[in-house]
Amino acid sequence: MKTPAENGPTPGLDFIRTIVAEDLEAGLHGGRVVTRFPPEPNGYLHIGHATAVCLNFNVALENGGVCHLRFDDTNPETEDIRYVRSITEDVRWLGFDWGEHLYYASDCFEQMYGFAEHLIREGKAYVESASEDEIRDARGSVTEPGSPTPSRSRSVEENLDLFRRMRAGEFPDGTHVLRAKIDLASPNMLLRDPVLYRIRHAHHYRTGDEWCIYPLYDWAHPIEDAIECVTHSICTLEFETHRPLYNWVVENIPVGCRPHQYEFARRNLEHTVMSKRKLLELVEGGYVDSWDDPRMPTVAGLRRRGVTPEAIRTFADLAGVGKTENRIDIGKLEFAIRDDLNQRVPRVLCVLRPLKVVITNFPEGEVEHLEAPYYPRDVPREGSRVVPFTRTIYIEREDFQEDPPSGYHRLAPGNEVRLRYAYVIRCDEVIRDERGGIAELRCTYDRATRGGKTEGRTVKGTIHWVSADHSVECEVRLYDRLFLVPDPEEAGEAWKETLNPESLVVIHGARIEPSVREDPPNTRYQFERLGYFWRDPIDSESEAMVFNRTVMLRDTWVKQGEAAEELPTKPKAEVRVERHAETSTSAPEPERSAALEARRERYVRELGVGDAEGEIITREDATAELFETAIATGATPRTLANWIVHEVPREAGERALSELPFGGQELGRLVVLLEDGTLSSSAGRDVLAEMTTRGGAPDEIVERRGLHQISDPEKLGLLVDEVIAQNAKKAAEYRDGRTGLLGFFVGQVMRKTGGRANPEVASKLLESRLR
RNA sequence: UCCCCCCUGGUGUAAGGGCAACACAGCGGUCUUUGGAACCGCUAAUCCACGUUCGAAUCGUGGGGGGGGAACCA
């Protein structure tokens, strides 16, 4: 077991977990963490959903919180009870428990309606009577603001009356909608008076005919979260632009809880598709047999293929969480599956394409019972079964070659090979059929190698086999990746042409050792040298066994062959050569008032402010004012401008300058302290941080926290020696030429002094003493 | 065209001013009654430019590339 130190830095949390940890730290939400998995019951869950399920449940679990399962059933036209059943089953199968927290959006319809009336009374929503097309036209475009429709100016009373009559069913579909009154000129189109309710005289699978108006996602979802007191509402990236609307809703309705939405990039997988539409097309077009076809990336498909929930959860961990578009290597999923199965399933022997072998020196009619362990020595599990050995056996056709390539370890004329758990045999003769094909092999066995023992002799190859008389015929379905290419969507409309014609190869007449007849039907196996398999849960009768291949074994032998055929890959440099050399160096000048332009001129020409900085601080009056007030303190304009542009925004974050609790006076003073050597730039940032959060005068903060810079070479020298002594190994590396470590040492000195050391002096001292 | 988000080895994720890390894949080796597993080693990355800084993958500006957004879908 490695210690964390030997393992290097401990891996950091993903950005979602970081936010949750910070919120907990800050005591938000009363220390509670509540997440939710909110599927719409209009399709089957796939592996992308599965990673989202894992994320939501695990984030809650890791923080002592709970995760709700909530069906987002606000669209009666597409949703169905059978999907809630399959989704429920899938989430449970994945191993997650929502306890009592099973919810339906449709249970909140009454409350949502109430909040809508509240909005109307507040003058924040109105009934729109324009047609769908008219609404769209009036919404404007990305470059032009929208314009109000006549409905927008209706009175509260009229809106209330109309909305109640909408609910009462007085109007046909599409005649009216309820809209939020937000901002028709917003650059975010979603804020241009979004539709909250539409009329649909449709039967809902849960509420029946109780409602004829249904809420839209942007209205329903935040309310559901708020009602359930969800703290962290995790969704996918395409909802990023919805967040301001989400916030608007939770801030404008009278509920006690204030959830926040965070978006992550859905996990995509190589060699498959995930969209509901494409998956449906595969099923309906007969490209696969069903939603639970083992080639489908659906949870049901993976389950039927023999994948374990543990493997899927491991895969989710391996894939991680991020905000980048991604397509995860299918090898990662396969690794997770093998890694799980390797540790837990018994090995058995099965021959896919049998080749008859007669052991000529083994007596006819005799049966030898050999004991074979179920697990290899490196898997800490017990158990064995008996395999019968007879005069006639079958081996894999692939395991014999008349003219083997070099490095081939299996059977060939005159060669020896070990039969797993049995004997070493030698091939003496090849018997042909009429067409010249190989019909049968005549071999002799070495009685002394019983159980496969070969003392004093090396037999490189070991192959699997079954007794001809005792083995059981079975069907084996070899599943492979569904698409030939990693990203089928890249082919556009032709995506189905990239389907892998060999994604399913059915083998009839395979032969498996008899012991499996005694096993429970849901037993998973490794067929030695072939892969992991289990019986198809639907098509497998006890008489006619059907096995699905869950995943192949890693095969470094095949890979060697493939690698040889592989074309040399293009050097990466090629891609990089053609960079846009012609990018203009002068930044385009945004429009600004004549007054601001005059200031920019003066700052840059007369005060020595940098070009870029001068341009930035004259974009807005407030910034220029801050700058002017600050130079009055005697700070050097150039340095001051640098701090305003490069340091202040970092601390300020989302806040505007006017919201900060300090002004030019304080900022100027801070820069003066920096310039006269009182403060190191590192400590200066600390001071600025405090000024930003709490306000206060720089001098006072420096005094109180004792942040005066240490520039005295003697004092620093002592610290430098200490740091070198404490990091002797690194010092040696540095002296060996790893000079990049200088930053590390400076960092150590800075840390030791709480940022008070003069880094320039420290750096010089380090350089000379490390020489 | 306007707004928002993203860009670290082949892939996915860390490091969020101070040692570019982990996993998968790949390559080589040890071991092996599975050409499996395990173990050891190696290869391989911060989109570009300029700036701020003692020090930039990290902060700033600009550019490039990718994704999302104007449903009475979610």
Side-chain angles (χ1 to χ4, degrees):
Chain A
M1 195 71 196
K2 285 180 177 178
T3 68
E6 283 166 329
N7 252 340
T10 51
L13 298 173
D14 59 66
F15 80 99
I16 298 275
R17 280 177 243 251
T18 304
I19 290 166
V20 172
E22 283 168 359
D23 288 353
L24 243 26
E25 178 79 13
L28 262 44
H29 309 293
R32 291 175 318 118
V33 174
V34 182
T35 58
R36 103 266 93 112
F37 177 65
E40 182 188 13
N42 71 346
Y44 292 86
L45 253 36
H46 56 61
I47 183 134
H49 296 119
T51 58
V53 171
C54 292
L55 211 215
N56 277 293
F57 276 92
N58 285 335
V59 163
L61 247 33
E62 290 160 17
N63 294 287
V66 291
C67 178
H68 302 172
L69 175 61
R70 174 175 78 226
F71 289 97
D72 209 359
D73 53 357
T74 56
N75 186 355
E77 291 173 319
T78 57
E79 294 151 7
D80 195 281
I81 186 78
R82 74 186 166 114
Y83 296 115
V84 346
R85 279 197 273 265
S86 79
I87 291 167
T88 307
E89 184 193 352
D90 287 350
V91 177
R92 212 190 305 276
W93 179 77
L94 282 168
F96 297 105
D97 181 12
W98 51 87
E100 58 194 329
H101 301 287
L102 174 65
Y103 301 107
Y104 296 86
S106 50
D107 287 347
C108 303
F109 282 172
E110 191 62 51
Q111 283 172 89
M112 291 176 192
Y113 177 84
F115 290 144
E117 282 206 356
H118 169 82
L119 230 46
I120 293 171
R121 274 185 240 108
E122 300 271 302
K124 290 172 182 163
Y126 59 96
V127 172
E128 173 65 75
S129 305
S131 73
E132 206 174 329
D133 287 345
E134 285 164 345
I135 293 173
R136 190 176 333 105
D137 290 345
R139 191 138 33 209
S141 70
V142 289
T143 43
E144 301 155 54
S147 49
T149 56
S151 305
R152 200 173 202 258
S153 49
R154 282 212 250 250
S155 69
V156 167
E157 291 68 32
E158 194 185 352
N159 281 319
L160 225 36
D161 173 59
L162 249 18
F163 188 49
R164 286 173 180 162
R165 288 164 60 196
M166 279 169 65
R167 174 181 185 171
E170 288 186 27
F171 308 115
D173 289 3
T175 47
H176 306 277
V177 292
L178 184 74
R179 285 228 255 174
K181 191 186 277 189
I182 306 180
D183 178 7
L184 286 171
S186 172
N188 183 342
M189 300 295 292
L190 291 162
L191 261 19
R192 319 249 265 224
D193 289 10
V195 175
L196 269 23
Y197 272 95
R198 37 63 192 277
I199 301 173
R200 274 294 170 298
H201 291 270
H203 186 84
H204 188 283
Y205 78 100
R206 290 190 87 241
T207 59
D209 297 314
E210 194 186 337
W211 293 88
C212 63
I213 56 173
Y214 290 95
L216 264 54
Y217 172 86
D218 285 315
W219 175 243
H221 206 90
I223 294 177
E224 295 156 23
D225 285 343
I227 288 174
E228 292 175 30
C229 274
V230 165
T231 56
H232 301 264
S233 179
I234 303 167
C235 64
T236 43
L237 244 31
E238 69 268 27
F239 293 103
E240 217 157 14
T241 45
H242 294 243
R243 193 180 342 123
L245 179 50
Y246 181 100
N247 291 339
W248 186 90
V249 172
V250 293
E251 281 160 14
N252 282 286
I253 55 170
V255 279
C257 294
R258 171 63 229 251
H260 289 267
Q261 175 185 299
Y262 303 96
E263 312 85 13
F264 75 103
R266 62 156 42 93
R267 278 24 266 201
N268 297 298
L269 233 205
E270 281 184 346
H271 299 286
T272 192
V273 292
M274 297 280 204
S275 85
K276 272 175 192 164
R277 198 204 97 215
K278 290 198 169 74
L279 258 14
L280 181 69
E281 222 176 311
L282 291 175
V283 175
E284 294 194 330
Y287 299 96
V288 296
D289 295 327
S290 55
W291 282 96
D292 66 350
D293 185 300
R295 290 167 290 183
M296 292 284 274
T298 51
V299 171
L302 292 162
R303 177 168 55 225
R304 186 167 171 190
R305 186 158 168 161
V307 175
T308 59
E310 289 81 358
I312 294 177
R313 285 192 259 128
T314 303
F315 170 73
D317 286 345
L318 254 30
V321 181
K323 299 194 76 165
T324 318
E325 285 292 316
N326 60 81
R327 188 164 301 277
I328 298 160
D329 198 327
I330 187 96
K332 211 143 193 161
L333 209 213
E334 293 174 347
F335 167 80
I337 298 169
R338 287 190 197 110
D339 198 45
D340 180 42
L341 262 18
N342 173 47
Q343 289 302 314
R344 56 198 275 184
V345 308
R347 274 63 171 169
V348 294
L349 303 178
C350 176
V351 174
L352 261 25
R353 299 172 178 89
L355 171 62
K356 188 175 167 188
V357 173
V358 176
I359 316 286
T360 53
N361 59 342
F362 191 90
E364 192 125 21
E366 197 166 296
V367 183
E368 193 170 344
H369 298 282
L370 299 162
E371 179 158 340
Y374 271 133
Y375 303 96
R377 65 196 174 294
D378 51 334
V379 171
R381 283 176 189 267
E382 300 293 321
S384 66
R385 80 290 185 187
V386 166
V387 291
F389 184 72
T390 50
R391 179 178 164 91
T392 307
I393 61 169
Y394 293 116
I395 66 166
E396 203 70 63
R397 282 205 104 86
E398 231 181 52
D399 286 338
F400 173 80
Q401 277 199 36
E402 285 198 275
D403 191 16
S406 71
Y408 189 76
H409 293 167
R410 311 175 203 177
L411 198 57
N415 269 4
E416 281 187 334
V417 77
R418 173 167 32 233
L419 298 177
R420 182 78 162 153
Y421 308 124
Y423 292 98
V424 172
I425 58 169
R426 173 190 304 277
C427 175
D428 304 315
E429 195 186 348
V430 179
I431 312 285
R432 301 182 175 281
D433 57 28
E434 318 78 63
R435 293 189 305 279
I438 300 166
E440 154 184 349
L441 264 26
R442 293 292 165 94
C443 298
T444 43
Y445 84 116
D446 179 350
R447 211 179 297 269
T449 59
R450 188 185 145 99
K453 309 267 185 311
T454 53
E455 281 124 48
R457 171 157 47 136
T458 44
V459 176
K460 274 223 153 160
T462 300
I463 63 174
H464 57 279
W465 59 279
V466 292
S467 159
D469 305 328
H470 300 80
S471 61
V472 185
E473 188 173 320
C474 62
E475 177 180 327
V476 178
R477 298 175 181 171
L478 303 178
Y479 292 104
D480 202 351
R481 36 197 75 168
L482 226 200
F483 290 87
L484 259 5
V485 297
D487 181 9
E489 326 242 315
E490 213 172 48
E493 283 307 298
W495 64 279
K496 277 182 292 195
E497 288 167 30
T498 65
L499 242 5
N500 178 5
E502 289 171 14
S503 60
L504 169 59
V505 173
V506 181
I507 308 270
H508 296 282
R511 304 200 66 98
I512 190 161
E513 61 167 90
S515 72
V516 299
R517 276 189 302 205
E518 315 303 322
D519 297 327
N522 62 349
T523 307
R524 279 177 248 258
Y525 303 98
Q526 183 193 110
F527 290 179
E528 294 215 32
R529 306 212 306 131
L530 296 175
Y532 294 94
F533 294 79
W534 83 330
R535 288 172 71 171
D536 187 281
I538 292 166
D539 296 342
S540 210
E541 309 292 322
S542 58
E543 283 312 299
M545 291 191 286
V546 177
F547 289 94
N548 292 339
R549 181 172 68 192
T550 309
V551 67
M552 273 182 256
L553 246 31
R554 237 180 109 226
D555 188 345
T556 49
W557 173 245
V558 185
K559 255 172 208 150
Q560 276 177 33
E562 281 172 4
E565 291 163 31
E566 202 87 13
L567 293 159
T569 51
K570 285 175 192 156
K572 192 182 172 191
E574 213 169 299
V575 190
R576 293 204 170 178
V577 183
E578 223 37 67
R579 281 295 173 194
H580 308 266
E582 299 292 321
T583 50
S584 71
T585 41
S586 60
E589 303 286 310
E591 285 182 30
R592 53 157 62 69
S593 70
L596 280 173
E597 176 55 26
R599 282 181 166 189
R600 191 193 67 79
E601 276 283 314
R602 187 161 57 84
Y603 296 168
V604 174
R605 294 273 155 81
E606 292 170 27
L607 302 180
V609 169
D611 283 338
E613 287 77 13
E615 194 271 316
I616 293 163
I617 60 175
T618 55
R619 278 182 191 172
E620 282 171 23
D621 287 314
T623 322
E625 283 311 320
L626 179 77
F627 174 72
E628 301 240 352
T629 326
I631 40 176
T633 60
T636 308
R638 188 184 174 92
T639 314
L640 192 52
N642 285 344
W643 272 70
I644 291 176
V645 171
H646 302 292
E647 305 295 345
V648 174
R650 181 193 342 224
E651 297 298 339
E654 304 279 280
R655 284 177 291 174
L657 283 181
S658 56
E659 296 171 72
L660 300 178
F662 64 84
Q665 280 274 312
E666 292 78 17
L667 186 62
R669 181 61 194 156
L670 172 62
V671 172
V672 169
L673 291 176
L674 251 4
E675 291 186 303
D676 69 13
T678 307
L679 279 178
S680 70
S681 57
S682 162
R685 275 189 290 268
D686 282 351
V687 174
L688 179 65
E690 179 168 340
M691 286 163 63
T692 313
T693 49
R694 276 186 287 275
D699 292 274
E700 188 272 321
I701 296 171
V702 173
E703 275 320 310
R704 177 162 45 79
R705 297 176 47 184
L707 292 174
H708 299 271
Q709 180 164 235
I710 308 170
S711 298
D712 178 6
E714 240 168 84
K715 268 194 199 161
L716 276 182
L718 255 38
L719 287 162
V720 162
D721 289 338
E722 226 176 284
V723 165
I724 293 175
Q726 280 165 0
N727 296 280
K729 215 169 133 191
K730 288 248 156 63
E733 285 179 49
Y734 179 92
R735 294 191 176 102
D736 272 355
R738 204 170 147 207
T739 52
L741 246 28
L742 183 64
F744 162 77
F745 283 107
V746 177
Q748 290 301 306
V749 174
M750 296 307 286
R751 182 161 304 175
K752 227 179 210 342
T753 57
R756 285 149 65 224
N758 181 323
E760 255 170 305
V761 177
S763 182
K764 289 221 172 62
L765 285 168
L766 278 160
E767 257 185 304
S768 69
R769 300 196 185 178
L770 278 167
R771 192 162 293 141

